[in-house]
Amino acid sequence: MIQDSKYFLYLSELLDKKVIDSQTNKTIGRIKDVLIAPKEIYPEITSLFISVGILGRKFTVAVDDLEPFALPVNKLYLKPDRKPMPFQPSAPNNFLLKDMFLDKQVLDTGGCKVVRVNDLHLLKENNKIWVVHMDIGFRGIARRLGWLSWLDPLVEWIFTSKLPDKFVSWKFVQAIPSSGERKSDKLMLRSAYQCFSEMNPADMAEILTALDRYERVSTFKLMDPQTAAEALVEIDLKMQKELMDLIDGEKRREIVTRMPSDKAADLVSRLSRRRQEEILKQIPQPKSGEIRSLLSHPEQTAGALMTTDYVSLNKDTTAEQAMAKIREISVANKPVYLYYIYVIDNDQTLQGVVNMRRLFAAQPASKLSEIMNTKLVKVKVNTHEAKIIKTYIKYNFVALPVVDNHNILKGVILFKDLADKVMMPLINRV
Amino acid sequence: MAEELNVIGNGAPAKPVEKKSFWATILIFLSLIGPGLITGNFGNDAGGITTYSVCGADFGLGMIWMVLPVTVILLLYQEMSGRLGAVTGKGLSDLIRENFGIRIAFYLMIGKFLAGIANTTAEFGGIAASMELFGVNKYISVPLMAILVWLLTIKANYRKLEKIFFIGIAFFACYIVAGLLSPIDWHEVAKQALTPSFRMDSQYLMLLVALIGTTIAPWMVFYHQSAVVEKGISIAEFRYFRWELPFVGISVGVVIFFIIVTCSPLYSQGIRIETAQQAAMALVPLAGVYAKDLFAIGLLIASLGAAMILPISTAFSVCEIFGWESGVNKKFMEAPQFYGMFTIQIILGAAIILIPGIPLIQVMILSQTINGLLLPFVLVIMLILINKKKLMGEYANGPIVNFVAVAATIAITASVVILIYSSVFGS
């Protein structure tokens, strides 16, 4: 009897191996795939999928029914009193591991990358086999091509070290949703929603960019509106437009509502006239009004650069009330920038600005008009981009208020938005 | 693009596409045009032009009727590779890896890489030959053109490359003018074009086979699909995308037609040629020095374009298989393997042609032989993929298209087998 213990093996080492009935000593067939049961983090391989010839009959053999085996796997023997079962393709929990993962693209949520599965790394303990890693390295490819026997010594001779393995733990593996096939969804995607919302939006955006068109849409559809809005802001406008065209109206509305109004305006301006109207009608006021007014400004002016998601309070507001307001905004998690409070008069004209440090240092009862800074630097709605950049360089602010001809506050230009506008062309040129 | 498009995923039922105004439709169509025209036209590369020239010189107008069937075969495969790309959103090599496993994909890629180098070499051979017609030495023309091709691809994004290719395609009008300059009996041309003739001598059959074999090369299938994917064409747009096919057919057919017609007077003069370069030289006493120049320009542009597309196509495939970053829209450092692969092919292709005394015809035959070895596998794989319901849903091949496609695949396979057999064992 072969000694059985705890060891690792690869899926590719199992595939195409013969399974033999130990009573008759006849070959039942070859292993073509394995069935997995999604139980805990690491799925367990429950049975082997065996087929006789290319078009022959299909069986499954439970892992429990196999005689213990050791590496290297050559032939597998069925226990004397066990029989293979006919394969039932329609059974609800038949997940075929190879079919679903091998050679396919998946998300590595740990490294936030789209990777291709070259092999699967399995752990065998007593009579159980678990899927523990995916192999995404060149070594996996070499193994499957049957090249390791000469490649390993060669690499070792040249580099004095072995060809390294590149593994990703199974807990970071996320199947990419495709709209065609829904089976993998049941297996993996219960956590997809959660996994996407835990990711950094910039990483999420990078993943979206790396996917093909259909995968991108189906992945995007899986995100909750908040995550979707955050990720959307980070990807390029052409792709944003494509995604927005492909999701349904209700979700589109939710996402645009959650985007900062300047980003939303950039996006909406790229959509067709009819769709613009459709979206703007669905979005509640005052957001839709803000987007509308942002849309009306010519490009490269302050009006087109600014955002309307800022906090402005009347000059008679007390510091305490102002702090309550900020808390309210923060709790509701609104996409509002909290760098400064802009202080306005009863006629909406801009009077001054209070930064957070000043606000928190003030007596609760003191009015904003008493603590505000009145030495304001501001730009007009129609000020050109170049002038704004100069202003920023001169004063080093993080945000710059934008007013109209009557000194009424219209919006705020954030340094990071300006930086995006100015730096992106530079980066693209490098 | 002024209008939004309803795009659906693989396998999902199509939403009815709303009625659009005439101009909106034209605009969509224009925005989608490109991959087919470029692949089809630059498929008439150095090897193709040589074959067509020899057809005209050896048999006059005797093979002119083949232009139509050959064009139809090209369109058939373009439609299928475009459909595969639009429905799956993936390149052909990607699909091969996902559906046939790494082993088949890997060895196919090795073949494709070798074919890529051989073909690129043949294209640089075309460049050298055409520039020699203007009296430029190959040791000057080939390195210069290699650098030009390399820089254009590295610097340009897909949209710019597409424009460059379109300008190139416009230059193919050279062949039409060259044809008009030649002393041609147009009544005879019309008669021959519409009446298939057939001869049972081995030389005629060989050339017929070569003509079919040169119509479609493995890189064309791969490149077309990758271009469709890179352009972001989805299945809802594919309706418009199909309208490109008649234009492809006309532009490609006309070029083949005119090359054969232009060279046909050589037949009645009893002049035998082996290369496009010889054909151009032989045209001087018959059609004037301008015909030669136009012919040379056509050859130069075709070879240049193919010398760009071919390495791109191979680089795409190899990167898709290994899951590396790829795409001409990327910067060099964003996709180092992609551009590395591209650069290696350009350098090798140009270097081989610069070996003193290298026989150009042998290089061309070698490249067509490797193509021929690869082609049946690629076409069969394509047929299997496009019939997969799981992959294509309702966009899988119907019985009629399948019948024609299987027949064409058998015809092409038979052609290349005969061609390779004869070029290896002598006719």
Side-chain angles (χ1 to χ4, degrees):
Chain A
M1 187 63 76
I2 309 153
Q3 194 59 41
D4 202 6
S5 61
K6 187 173 171 176
Y7 58 82
F8 289 103
L9 73 161
Y10 293 95
L11 179 66
S12 60
E13 292 177 298
L14 283 179
L15 292 177
D16 275 326
K17 295 291 165 2
K18 279 181 184 169
V19 177
I20 291 167
D21 189 333
S22 46
Q23 270 178 320
T24 59
N25 218 15
K26 274 188 188 156
T27 307
I28 299 168
R30 285 177 188 271
I31 303 172
K32 289 296 167 193
D33 209 328
V34 296
L35 290 156
I36 52 173
K39 273 182 193 155
E40 286 141 44
I41 303 171
Y42 302 104
E44 189 191 336
I45 295 182
T46 52
S47 44
L48 309 174
F49 172 76
I50 291 164
S51 98
V52 187
I54 301 171
L55 299 165
R57 295 167 63 194
K58 293 171 171 56
F59 297 104
T60 58
V61 168
V63 172
D64 280 337
D65 293 351
L66 291 170
E67 295 275 12
F69 59 90
L71 288 180
V73 181
N74 207 352
K75 286 170 185 165
L76 296 176
Y77 288 89
L78 206 59
K79 283 180 186 164
D81 52 337
R82 308 297 166 88
K83 283 272 166 272
M85 308 286 284
F87 176 63
Q88 283 156 337
S90 52
N93 279 325
N94 275 347
F95 298 112
L96 288 166
L97 183 67
K98 176 189 169 227
D99 189 48
M100 275 167 38
F101 290 103
L102 198 63
D103 287 319
K104 305 288 191 290
Q105 286 193 320
V106 297
L107 292 186
D108 161 14
T109 57
C112 294
K113 278 195 312 261
V114 180
V115 294
R116 204 175 272 283
V117 183
N118 292 336
D119 206 345
L120 290 152
H121 197 216
L122 317 173
L123 173 66
K124 186 172 186 315
E125 191 177 9
N126 299 323
N127 226 2
K128 290 193 182 300
I129 310 176
W130 285 279
V131 185
V132 285
H133 293 115
M134 62 173 173
D135 186 337
I136 58 168
F138 184 73
R139 206 184 148 87
I141 292 180
R143 187 183 315 109
R144 289 183 58 205
L145 293 171
W147 284 6
L148 278 189
S149 53
W150 60 266
L151 199 64
D152 260 348
L154 184 73
V155 171
E156 214 168 342
W157 181 66
I158 298 172
F159 300 103
T160 65
S161 65
K162 267 197 171 175
L163 193 63
D165 273 315
K166 248 170 119 181
F167 286 152
V168 173
S169 166
W170 190 263
K171 65 181 174 203
F172 296 123
V173 174
Q174 181 66 60
I176 292 168
S178 74
S179 43
E181 207 189 354
R182 282 273 156 220
K183 208 162 185 189
S184 59
D185 298 10
K186 276 189 227 152
L187 183 67
M188 311 291 306
L189 297 178
R190 271 167 301 159
S191 63
Y193 213 70
Q194 188 190 354
C195 130
F196 293 148
S197 54
E198 281 165 6
M199 260 187 222
N200 181 317
D203 287 334
M204 204 53 243
E206 207 172 311
I207 286 174
L208 282 179
T209 313
L211 295 174
D212 77 48
R213 202 166 53 250
Y214 298 110
E215 292 168 344
R216 180 153 55 234
V217 175
S218 36
T219 306
F220 187 70
K221 280 179 181 164
L222 271 174
M223 299 180 190
D224 63 85
Q226 184 64 44
T227 316
E230 284 168 15
L232 204 59
V233 172
E234 305 284 337
I235 63 180
D236 74 49
L237 268 173
K238 196 181 160 219
M239 240 176 238
Q240 281 187 25
K241 176 189 174 316
E242 195 185 79
L243 286 174
M244 292 308 271
D245 278 339
L246 295 179
I247 56 176
D248 57 55
E250 171 60 19
K251 182 118 185 212
R252 199 182 297 137
R253 183 187 66 79
E254 282 189 51
I255 291 173
V256 175
T257 314
R258 283 174 168 82
M259 285 169 86
S261 51
D262 57 327
K263 303 284 187 196
D266 281 348
L267 171 58
V268 171
S269 70
R270 293 298 179 100
L271 302 177
S272 68
R273 282 274 153 71
R274 230 194 42 211
R275 187 146 287 170
Q276 279 188 13
E277 275 311 307
E278 194 183 301
I279 290 187
L280 288 173
K281 255 183 240 156
Q282 290 167 340
I283 299 171
Q285 279 290 1
K287 189 97 180 181
S288 64
E290 288 167 10
I291 295 174
R292 257 180 228 279
S293 74
L294 287 172
L295 282 174
S296 66
H297 295 290
E299 264 187 70
Q300 296 193 321
T301 64
L305 274 170
M306 70 189 187
T307 173
T308 46
D309 297 311
Y310 55 85
V311 187
S312 64
L313 294 172
N314 192 282
K315 64 178 168 42
D316 294 328
T317 318
T318 64
E320 196 174 12
Q321 287 168 325
M323 279 195 273
K325 180 76 186 167
I326 285 165
R327 194 172 303 121
E328 182 194 310
I329 290 168
S330 307
V331 168
N333 198 17
K334 286 187 186 163
V336 167
Y337 301 109
L338 295 171
Y339 296 111
Y340 297 106
I341 293 173
Y342 295 94
V343 185
I344 51 175
D345 208 344
N346 294 329
D347 59 357
Q348 303 286 315
T349 56
L350 181 62
Q351 299 296 315
V353 60
V354 176
N355 69 22
M356 290 302 140
R357 184 186 286 260
R358 197 115 174 210
L359 179 66
F360 282 87
Q363 294 296 322
S366 51
K367 288 182 176 175
L368 292 184
S369 55
E370 294 159 21
I371 57 172
M372 71 184 180
N373 181 354
T374 51
K375 282 181 283 180
L376 272 175
V377 177
K378 55 199 172 191
V379 292
K380 292 268 176 65
V381 172
N382 55 7
T383 306
H384 193 266
E385 213 172 68
K387 180 100 184 286
I388 302 167
I389 294 168
K390 280 182 192 155
T391 315
Y392 262 110
I393 293 169
K394 187 172 169 193
Y395 296 100
N396 286 323
F397 290 132
V398 283
L400 199 61
V402 181
V403 295
D404 68 3
N405 287 333
H406 308 288
N407 196 29
I408 291 171
L409 184 60
K410 285 293 176 187
V412 172
I413 298 175
L414 300 165
F415 178 67
K416 71 181 183 85
D417 286 349
L418 194 67
D420 275 354
K421 279 257 156 64
V422 180
M423 271 154 56
M424 280 328 281
L426 287 177
I427 290 169
N428 286 338
R429 221 180 297 154
V430 175
Chain B
M1 225 177 343
E3 279 285 345
E4 72 279 10
L5 295 152
N6 294 310
V7 183
I8 39 113
N10 24 351
K15 282 185 207 164
V17 180
E18 326 151 30
K19 274 249 177 256
K20 294 187 175 67
S21 77
F22 174 73
W23 288 112
T25 313
I26 292 294
L27 217 64
I28 295 174
F29 169 60
L30 286 178
S31 74
L32 298 179
I33 210 162
L37 270 177
I38 290 167
T39 316
N41 278 291
F42 288 104
N44 287 336
D45 57 355
I49 290 169
T50 307
T51 310
Y52 309 140
S53 309
V54 175
C55 275
D58 283 9
F59 295 99
L61 297 166
M63 265 186 202
I64 199 86
W65 63 275
M66 275 299 288
V67 173
L68 191 65
V70 151
T71 313
V72 170
I73 292 177
L74 173 72
L75 296 188
L76 177 77
Y77 282 102
Q78 278 215 345
E79 197 276 338
M80 288 200 291
S81 61
R83 184 146 44 96
L84 264 176
V87 173
T88 61
K90 291 181 167 120
L92 187 55
S93 4
D94 235 347
L95 290 178
I96 293 175
R97 167 137 193 217
E98 290 189 359
N99 291 280
F100 294 91
I102 182 84
R103 215 178 263 247
I104 290 178
F106 187 82
Y107 290 115
L108 207 59
M109 276 319 108
I110 289 185
K112 187 153 187 272
F113 187 67
L114 292 177
I117 291 171
N119 285 325
T120 311
T121 310
E123 305 310 339
F124 277 110
I127 291 173
S130 58
M131 293 298 276
E132 270 167 21
L133 286 170
F134 291 112
V136 182
N137 190 299
K138 76 172 178 182
Y139 296 101
I140 298 166
S141 63
V142 170
L144 277 180
M145 290 302 174
I147 292 168
L148 176 76
V149 163
W150 189 82
L151 278 179
L152 275 178
T153 312
I154 300 288
K155 291 288 168 199
N157 58 19
Y158 182 76
R159 286 179 66 174
K160 271 191 202 148
L161 273 184
E162 207 169 52
K163 278 181 199 141
I164 294 169
F165 289 140
F166 276 143
I167 296 169
I169 290 172
F171 271 98
F172 287 139
C174 287
Y175 289 116
I176 301 174
V177 183
L180 296 177
L181 288 174
S182 300
I184 310 286
D185 177 1
W186 292 100
H187 288 289
E188 186 62 18
V189 172
K191 208 181 99 193
Q192 292 282 351
L194 297 171
T195 45
S197 58
F198 207 72
R199 281 164 52 178
M200 276 314 286
D201 77 69
S202 67
Q203 204 198 349
Y204 184 87
L205 286 179
M206 278 314 302
L207 214 49
L208 199 71
V209 160
L211 199 62
I212 297 171
T214 194
T215 323
I216 187 150
W219 69 264
M220 289 168 71
V221 184
F222 281 93
Y223 177 79
H224 186 239
Q225 188 167 340
S226 300
V228 167
V229 173
E230 177 119 336
K231 208 165 165 144
I233 293 168
S234 62
I235 194 63
E237 293 162 303
F238 195 66
R239 197 167 70 113
Y240 304 99
F241 182 66
R242 274 187 182 152
W243 295 355
E244 190 184 12
L245 295 175
F247 293 93
V248 178
I250 291 168
S251 62
V252 172
V254 162
V255 169
I256 303 177
F257 179 86
F258 270 95
I259 295 173
I260 297 180
V261 167
T262 309
C263 294
S264 65
L266 301 178
Y267 171 66
S268 40
Q269 299 281 319
I271 303 167
R272 282 285 174 275
I273 57 156
E274 276 189 312
T275 64
Q277 191 181 9
Q278 289 166 357
M281 292 306 292
L283 280 176
V284 178
L286 293 170
V289 73
Y290 289 119
K292 180 207 85 175
D293 289 347
L294 288 166
F295 209 84
I297 292 172
L299 180 61
L300 175 67
I301 300 293
S303 310
L304 264 179
M308 252 163 115
I309 295 181
L310 260 162
I312 293 176
S313 157
T314 310
F316 258 128
S317 301
V318 176
C319 289
E320 275 172 20
I321 292 274
F322 290 110
W324 293 328
E325 290 279 324
S326 61
V328 284
N329 289 336
K330 304 251 163 45
K331 302 272 156 350
F332 196 106
M333 287 325 289
E334 284 170 7
Q337 295 97 337
F338 177 79
Y339 284 112
M341 205 75 71
F342 173 79
T343 309
I344 288 172
Q345 290 177 78
I346 296 274
I347 291 174
L348 279 177
I352 294 171
I353 277 304
L354 290 181
I355 296 171
I358 187 146
L360 286 183
I361 299 178
Q362 257 67 36
V363 168
M364 223 164 258
I365 289 174
L366 179 72
S367 85
Q368 287 190 337
T369 305
I370 300 180
N371 276 348
L373 282 172
L374 213 55
L375 190 61
F377 296 102
V378 175
L379 295 186
V380 168
I381 281 174
M382 226 178 110
L383 275 179
I384 295 174
L385 285 173
I386 205 152
N387 277 299
K388 272 202 172 181
K389 279 270 181 292
K390 194 175 147 190
L391 202 65
M392 299 296 289
E394 60 174 310
Y395 296 100
N397 264 7
I400 299 168
V401 182
N402 253 346
F403 177 77
V404 181
V406 169
T409 304
I410 292 171
I412 291 174
T413 307
S415 299
V416 295
V417 168
I418 298 172
L419 204 61
I420 290 165
Y421 182 84
S422 66
S423 69
V424 173
F425 299 101
S427 44

